[in-house]
Amino acid sequence: MPKFQFTKIVDVERDLIFEISTDYENFTRVLPDYFKELKIIKKEEKSTIIQERLQFLGRTVNVMTEHIIEKPDRHIVKMLDGQSRGTVFDERYQMDGKKTKITIKVDLILHGSLKILGLLAKGKIKQNMNMVMDQFVNYAKTQSK
């Protein structure tokens, strides 16, 4: 399956954008067009299992995810079920002067009817992920004033 990454340098302090990008309990408020519903199933010190209802690529999907936070600069999201089980998003947040360099590596694994979609829509998936990150950044800029 496709593996890809994208990098974005943003004009937001690393700790702030990291905090917002890992505050999954508020994702429905920060990104209501994308995160429709979140339910925390299990929360431990560095790992949280969440049942999520998402709107992505024009589809509403229900997925179970594990979020692993390694402060101050790494957030890993693992898809635990559904047609994307096994997919991993590895986010890194590095200081770059007064800006933050965000690198997201994706190991996309799709099953069933989505398997063909993954091969054909890698660019579209990357574009949507970029859009979601832009929304996190815009939200962070409103919080830093």
Side-chain angles (χ1 to χ4, degrees):
M1 265 301 144
K3 288 185 182 190
F4 58 91
Q5 77 174 31
F6 69 92
T7 301
K8 180 179 284 288
I9 296 178
V10 300
D11 193 19
V12 176
E13 196 269 330
R14 183 199 63 191
D15 291 345
L16 177 61
I17 192 67
F18 183 78
E19 179 183 323
I20 291 169
S21 297
T22 58
D23 184 14
Y24 31 79
E25 295 180 54
N26 285 309
F27 282 2
T28 56
R29 186 173 53 82
V30 176
L31 295 170
D33 293 337
Y34 181 72
F35 290 94
K36 300 302 185 180
E37 188 177 333
L38 298 171
K39 180 180 177 187
I40 295 177
I41 305 300
K42 181 179 178 184
K43 188 169 187 173
E44 296 177 351
E45 185 179 340
K46 293 184 180 183
S47 172
T48 303
I49 306 290
I50 303 173
Q51 181 67 48
E52 303 178 14
R53 187 163 58 90
L54 310 170
Q55 183 74 33
F56 193 70
L57 295 175
R59 305 176 100 169
T60 301
V61 294
N62 293 306
V63 295
M64 184 87 64
T65 58
E66 178 181 19
H67 292 254
I68 301 164
I69 296 175
E70 298 176 0
K71 289 184 177 185
D73 61 1
R74 190 173 185 199
H75 178 211
I76 302 166
V77 181
K78 298 179 179 182
M79 309 303 270
L80 301 178
D81 67 357
Q83 291 185 309
S84 58
R85 73 185 170 280
T87 294
V88 176
F89 300 85
D90 189 348
E91 306 169 9
R92 302 276 182 148
Y93 298 79
Q94 299 171 301
M95 289 187 278
D96 187 2
K98 292 187 177 190
K99 297 183 179 189
T100 302
K101 178 181 176 184
I102 303 168
T103 303
I104 302 177
K105 293 181 181 179
V106 180
D107 184 1
L108 183 65
I109 300 172
L110 299 174
H111 305 274
S113 61
L114 288 184
K115 197 170 192 172
I116 294 171
L117 173 70
L119 296 172
L120 301 175
K122 180 173 141 184
K124 184 96 170 143
I125 292 168
K126 226 173 156 175
Q127 179 183 13
N128 271 341
M129 288 177 58
N130 225 350
M131 183 180 69
V132 168
M133 187 52 66
D134 285 343
Q135 290 176 352
F136 273 121
V137 169
N138 289 337
Y139 180 83
K141 286 180 178 179
T142 68
Q143 301 304 300
S144 64
K145 292 182 180 178

